[in-house]
Amino acid sequence: MNANVSMTRLVLLVLLGLLALAPLAQASDATLEKAMKAYEKRLTNDISYLSSFSAPSKHAAPSTLSKLSRIGSDLAGATKAATRQQASTSSGRKGRTQILAALHDATAAKSDAKASATAARAGKTSTAKRDAKTEQSQITKAIPLFESGGKLLKLF
């Protein structure tokens, strides 16, 4: 009889533990969504800028480099926020994976845009145009990932 009571208590404790974890799963996704929501507006503006990027003139290159520096900080912060949070549902994990892939591609695009602006500042017009073209292909890969990952994380 003592073994029966111990087994019943064990089963009850396991069930209570599982019930306690259910809200944590939602909380984990909610925490991830909240962390990414803080970057939503900045990332929208940054991705918009990168998607319309073209090789700057020699005169405009310094201000372009300054803007790209801020974009790099935004991308690094969003990547850090997404990396530190764990999703708990299938859709949350998929959304996080897509957002991290998009951030990787956007960071590569930002690096290509920076190379373009640096070349423009040095007066290397053909190199600046080539780097801008590479930047466009990178950001074109990132945009669909941002859209689908953002929908899964309920960012928009």
Side-chain angles (χ1 to χ4, degrees), residues 75-127:
L75 292 171
T79 300
K80 192 174 184 181
T83 303
R84 286 184 171 176
Q85 302 299 323
Q86 292 297 318
S88 53
T89 64
S90 176
S91 64
R93 285 188 295 274
K94 185 175 181 181
R96 178 180 177 265
T97 299
Q98 289 176 344
I99 290 293
L100 285 170
L103 287 166
H104 174 78
D105 291 341
T107 300
K110 189 270 315 171
S111 295
D112 291 330
K114 182 179 177 188
S116 174
T118 302
R121 184 176 61 188
K124 299 178 181 177
T125 309
S126 62
T127 302

Side-chain angles (χ1 to χ4, degrees), residues 128-156:
K129 288 180 180 177
R130 185 183 68 234
D131 289 339
K133 187 175 180 181
T134 304
E135 180 273 341
Q136 285 297 300
S137 69
Q138 287 291 331
I139 201 63
T140 300
K141 287 187 339 188
I143 290 171
L145 292 169
F146 273 121
E147 290 173 344
S148 59
K151 286 179 185 174
L152 288 170
L153 293 177
K154 301 175 184 102
L155 297 176
F156 45 82

